[in-house]
């Protein structure tokens, strides 16, 4: 079981909560980019990380089915300049298929460094992009899946500690 930082434990015990989240995009496909192992361990260079929390429009939908299906996150990024255009935007490299998305959950009363990550997900499929000509808003839609949806894990068997074979534990 994961331990919460002290600040978040105090918030959980109180009656006053102000939920917040953070969305980080990681570029693992560029040359000299970090591996997902380095990102999870916290040793990856922050030059390959982009905090897009301020651009998330309408919140994020997080599905954790709890069975054999992978976790699924969908959200939209919105700005006036088209920075998140997956073809020609300034941050197009972060929006390619198989890039990493890290969602962290926390509270407005604690530091962002105390937020708890709910998982590292991969962008799957084509990133959607639309332009609203009346409000001049450009919106990018992303769909991300947990590691169970990645091809190396789809055919892998998962079992419990009581089964003594060379398979991953689910």
């Amino acid at each position: 079981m994961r331990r919460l930082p002290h600040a978040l434990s105090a918030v959980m015990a109180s009656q006053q909560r102000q939920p917040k989240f953070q969305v980080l995009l990681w570029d693992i496909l560029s040359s000299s980019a970090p591996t997902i192992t380095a990102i999870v361990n916290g040793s990856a260079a922050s030059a390959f990380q982009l905090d897009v929390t301020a651009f998330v429009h309408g919140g994020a939908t997080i599905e954790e089915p709890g069975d054999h299906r992978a976790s699924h996150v969908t959200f939209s990024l919105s700005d006036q300049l088209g920075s998140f255009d997956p073809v020609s935007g300034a941050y197009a490299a972060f929006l390619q298929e198989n890039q990493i998305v890290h969602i962290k959950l926390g509270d407005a009363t604690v530091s962002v460094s105390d937020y708890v990550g709910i998982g590292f997900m991969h962008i799957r499929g084509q990133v959607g992009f639309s332009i609203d000509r009346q409000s001049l808003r450009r919106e990018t839609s992303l769909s991300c899946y947990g590691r169970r949806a990645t091809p190396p894990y789809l055919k892998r068997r998962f079992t419990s500690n009581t089964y003594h074979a060379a398979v991953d534990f689910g």
Side-chain angles (χ1 to χ4, degrees):
M1 188 162 97
R2 182 175 19 189
R3 293 186 182 267
L4 290 176
H6 178 70
L8 277 179
S9 297
V11 169
M12 292 295 289
S14 73
Q15 298 295 320
Q16 300 280 330
R17 295 187 187 155
Q18 301 171 19
K20 289 281 186 175
F21 63 91
Q22 182 181 32
V23 179
L24 301 171
L25 300 179
W26 285 90
D27 180 10
I28 63 168
L29 301 177
S30 297
S31 60
S32 73
T35 63
I36 189 167
T37 304
I39 294 170
V40 171
N41 291 336
S43 62
S46 61
F48 296 96
Q49 171 187 318
L50 179 65
D51 186 353
V52 295
T53 308
F55 299 101
V56 174
H57 177 73
T61 303
I62 303 169
E63 296 176 20
E64 291 280 350
D67 55 11
H68 65 281
R69 294 174 291 161
S71 53
H72 180 221
V73 173
T74 55
F75 60 93
S76 295
L77 302 172
S78 178
D79 74 332
Q80 299 284 330
L81 303 174
S83 301
F84 298 107
D85 183 340
V87 175
S88 61
Y91 304 121
F94 291 92
L95 303 172
Q96 302 302 316
E97 188 170 12
N98 293 322
Q99 295 288 37
I100 301 296
V101 176
H102 187 197
I103 309 282
K104 293 183 174 183
L105 301 178
D107 195 85
T109 59
V110 300
S111 171
V112 174
S113 62
D114 288 332
Y115 285 14
V116 176
I118 63 165
F120 294 88
M121 314 211 170
H122 292 276
I123 296 175
R124 288 284 178 241
Q126 184 176 0
V127 174
F129 184 71
S130 63
I131 300 173
D132 183 353
R133 298 194 194 288
Q134 289 181 343
S135 66
L136 299 177
R137 187 178 74 194
R138 291 159 172 86
E139 188 168 297
T140 304
S141 302
L142 291 147
S143 185
C144 314
Y145 290 89
R147 80 173 197 159
R148 280 196 173 171
T150 57
Y153 293 96
L154 286 176
K155 295 182 180 177
R156 192 172 284 192
R157 291 189 309 170
F158 291 89
T159 185
S160 66
N161 288 331
T162 59
Y163 185 72
H164 303 288
V167 293
D168 280 354
F169 297 121

